[in-house]
Amino acid sequence: MYTVKCLNPISKQGLDLFDSEFEVIDDLGAADAVLVRSAKMHDLEVPDSMIAVARAGAGVNNIPLDEYAAKGITVFNTPGANANGVKELVVAGLLLASRDIIGGYNWVKEHAGDEDLAKAVEKQKKAYAGNELKGKSIGVIGLGAIGVLVANICNRLGMKVYGYDPYVSVRSAWSLSRMVNHSSSLDEIFEKCDYITVHVPCIDSTRGMINKEAIAKMKDGVNILNFARGELADDQAIIEGLASNKIKHYVTDFPNPTIAGVDRVITIPHLGASTEESEDNCAEMAVDQLMNYLKNGNIINSVNYPNCDLGEVETARITVHHKNLPNMIGQLTAILAADNHNIQNMLNKSKGDWAYSMLDIEREPSKEVIEKMKAVDGVVRVRVL
Ligand SMILES: NC(=O)c1ccc[n+]([C@@H]2O[C@H](COP(=O)([O-])OP(=O)(O)OC[C@H]3O[C@@H](n4cnc5c(N)ncnc54)[C@H](O)[C@@H]3O)[C@@H](O)[C@H]2O)c1
């Protein structure tokens, strides 16, 4: 029986996936694994029994990844589980930028009690006329889980879509509509597009990518959408672009005191993944990955160890968390060879300073074999499954 402690409320839809080999418990001190959303784990004392943390969501800055890697604790997250929620809000953002829904809504609210409202509407409506998305060009920067969905739906809305992602994964490339034009430079996106939407992580190379120079290259009246991270845009440059009418609207999910309230900034309070469905998807994915890891040792979507998948355990499997050093495999296999083990299948991958090895063998290993593996310099955890 494996025990799991939830540090935050986790969607029932996810928890219901646990089969009879798993029990959700209250006592962290007795847990094999933890499910977490936003609870801060940096100062949390965790028991030696804990071997995995699954974050139902994408961001992991509430978890001490390096410290856990050094203890052989695998940390998982759920990339892409909220992609559809974000995609749908981007579509709403496009419509809010192209049609003056907010201006029109406010006017109707102000005049809600007017006797002749229906007549007044017919006179007033031209003040809120807009444009259609069909036929307009959109540049999607970053074609990951969210960017691909956004690009594909924009194509179905009749927009001319340009996609830019120099590191696009094979999975994303397969999922992308063939109608999406491949842009080989950001400048092409800046120069050609009526709408520009960013879906990249906020890292050193992307922070401030929507800056003064970038905006200067854009079409007059461009609409910029940012549902990725506030720091990707230089707020001051956005404000200047709006003031000079270079930018028509800046739609962002990340308000801050500099940008909120500025004319033609449409900002909402980080609602991208705030849907029941996203929470359910994240919890389902986290539980699924946790069960697979605890039962089979397979690592899918870890942030501090490499992804490794050998399918279900057939006879016996040894998994080893270790430092990414030379000759680790040589030492581990020599221990098995000395005890006459036949290795049926094997996988070893590394991620930064850490590595993970899976060894499928034809019979249960003895205690001595496992103790010898644990004693290898650089090994931090050995499991037998
Ligand atoms: N608004 C919200 O609530 C919300 C929710 C989830 C994610 N997000 C944000 O959206 C971002 C994207 O999420 P995702 O799930 O699609 O992530 P992802 O990892 O699946 O995709 C990111 C993509 O960006 C690409 N990329 C990296 N650097 C790039 C660069 N310099 N130029 C172009 N492309 C680059 C990567 O190759 C990858 O394909 C996340 O990093 C997160 O900040 C926001």
Side-chain angles (χ1 to χ4, degrees):
M1 177 72 78
Y2 297 105
T3 51
V4 181
K5 161 79 180 164
C6 298
L7 293 184
N8 294 104
I10 301 291
S11 139
K12 182 176 176 315
Q13 205 159 311
L15 295 181
D16 283 350
L17 292 181
F18 278 129
D19 62 28
S20 56
E21 284 183 61
F22 292 82
E23 189 188 0
V24 176
I25 58 166
D26 285 333
D27 178 14
L28 173 65
D32 297 316
V34 155
L35 271 167
V36 63
R37 283 169 61 193
S38 55
K40 301 240 176 315
M41 297 189 73
H42 287 275
D43 297 324
L44 194 69
E45 210 167 297
V46 295
D48 291 340
S49 59
M50 191 178 94
I51 59 171
V53 174
R55 155 90 167 100
V60 284
N61 51 11
N62 55 322
I63 306 168
L65 303 182
D66 294 338
E67 182 190 323
Y68 284 2
K71 289 181 176 169
I73 298 172
T74 313
V75 180
F76 299 86
N77 70 348
T78 58
N82 48 24
N84 191 64
V86 180
K87 172 203 81 179
E88 290 189 6
L89 205 61
V90 171
V91 172
L94 285 169
L95 292 168
L96 291 174
S98 61
R99 311 289 290 270
D100 195 359
I101 299 167
I102 296 174
Y105 170 84
N106 286 337
W107 182 85
V108 171
K109 205 169 177 197
E110 246 173 59
H111 296 83
D114 291 5
E115 285 271 304
D116 55 350
L117 181 60
K119 247 187 179 176
V121 159
E122 293 311 316
K123 268 194 183 166
Q124 186 64 22
K125 68 181 184 186
K126 60 179 175 299
Y128 307 109
N131 293 101
E132 295 183 18
L133 296 172
K134 190 175 174 191
K136 303 295 181 304
S137 52
I138 181 163
V140 182
I141 302 175
L143 296 167
I146 298 170
V148 164
L149 296 183
V150 169
N152 289 351
I153 199 154
C154 288
N155 172 56
R156 293 172 80 171
L157 286 168
M159 302 184 83
K160 189 165 174 64
V161 186
Y162 294 86
Y164 172 77
D165 188 335
Y167 321 105
V168 68
S169 68
V170 174
R171 190 175 171 180
S172 285
W174 274 109
S175 315
L176 201 60
S177 159
R178 63 186 170 81
M179 300 300 287
V180 173
N181 299 282
H182 163 77
S183 288
S184 51
S185 75
L186 267 180
D187 283 359
E188 186 184 355
I189 299 268
F190 294 154
E191 286 158 16
K192 283 191 174 161
C193 295
D194 303 308
Y195 294 81
I196 293 174
T197 182
V198 276
H199 300 288
V200 297
C202 184
I203 49 179
D204 286 348
S205 58
T206 58
R207 191 171 290 112
M209 74 192 306
I210 305 297
N211 56 22
K212 206 171 168 165
E213 292 72 40
I215 292 168
K217 291 175 188 160
M218 294 178 192
K219 286 173 89 167
D220 289 342
V222 65
N223 288 288
I224 301 173
L225 290 89
N226 181 359
F227 285 79
R229 279 295 171 263
E231 296 79 8
L232 295 170
D234 173 345
D235 289 337
Q236 213 47 54
I238 294 275
I239 291 169
E240 284 166 23
L242 286 159
S244 68
N245 286 326
K246 179 82 178 169
I247 302 174
K248 196 166 179 191
H249 293 102
Y250 177 53
V251 188
T252 178
D253 208 9
F254 305 95
N256 66 52
T258 310
I259 207 83
V262 172
D263 205 23
R264 287 180 285 122
V265 170
I266 300 171
T267 181
I268 46 175
H270 198 180
L271 297 180
S274 293
T275 66
E276 264 177 46
E277 292 82 352
S278 284
E279 274 182 30
D280 289 344
N281 287 345
C282 287
E284 283 176 22
M285 201 165 158
V287 167
D288 213 35
Q289 291 169 178
L290 207 51
M291 285 203 294
N292 194 354
Y293 173 68
L294 290 173
K295 279 189 192 182
N296 299 306
N298 293 322
I299 299 183
I300 295 165
N301 291 325
S302 171
V303 283
N304 65 347
Y305 271 94
N307 287 344
C308 282
D309 187 351
L310 271 189
E312 285 187 17
V313 176
E314 285 179 9
T315 318
R317 175 171 296 166
I318 302 172
T319 66
V320 187
H321 290 71
H322 53 86
K323 283 189 181 159
N324 185 13
L325 298 172
N327 196 30
M328 294 304 289
I329 287 293
Q331 294 179 81
L332 297 173
T333 53
I335 293 169
L336 290 174
D339 202 36
N340 256 330
H341 277 288
N342 180 25
I343 298 174
Q344 294 173 324
N345 212 349
M346 195 175 99
L347 192 57
N348 164 266
K349 285 193 185 169
S350 63
K351 186 175 184 126
D353 292 340
W354 297 98
Y356 187 65
S357 297
M358 303 177 79
L359 302 126
D360 279 2
I361 48 180
E362 80 308 341
R363 64 186 153 87
E364 288 280 320
S366 66
K367 273 195 179 134
E368 291 71 34
V369 162
I370 297 307
E371 289 312 313
K372 278 184 192 162
M373 285 190 172
K374 285 182 179 169
V376 172
D377 200 23
V379 167
V380 291
R381 185 177 296 282
V382 181
R383 293 176 71 205
V384 180
L385 300 160

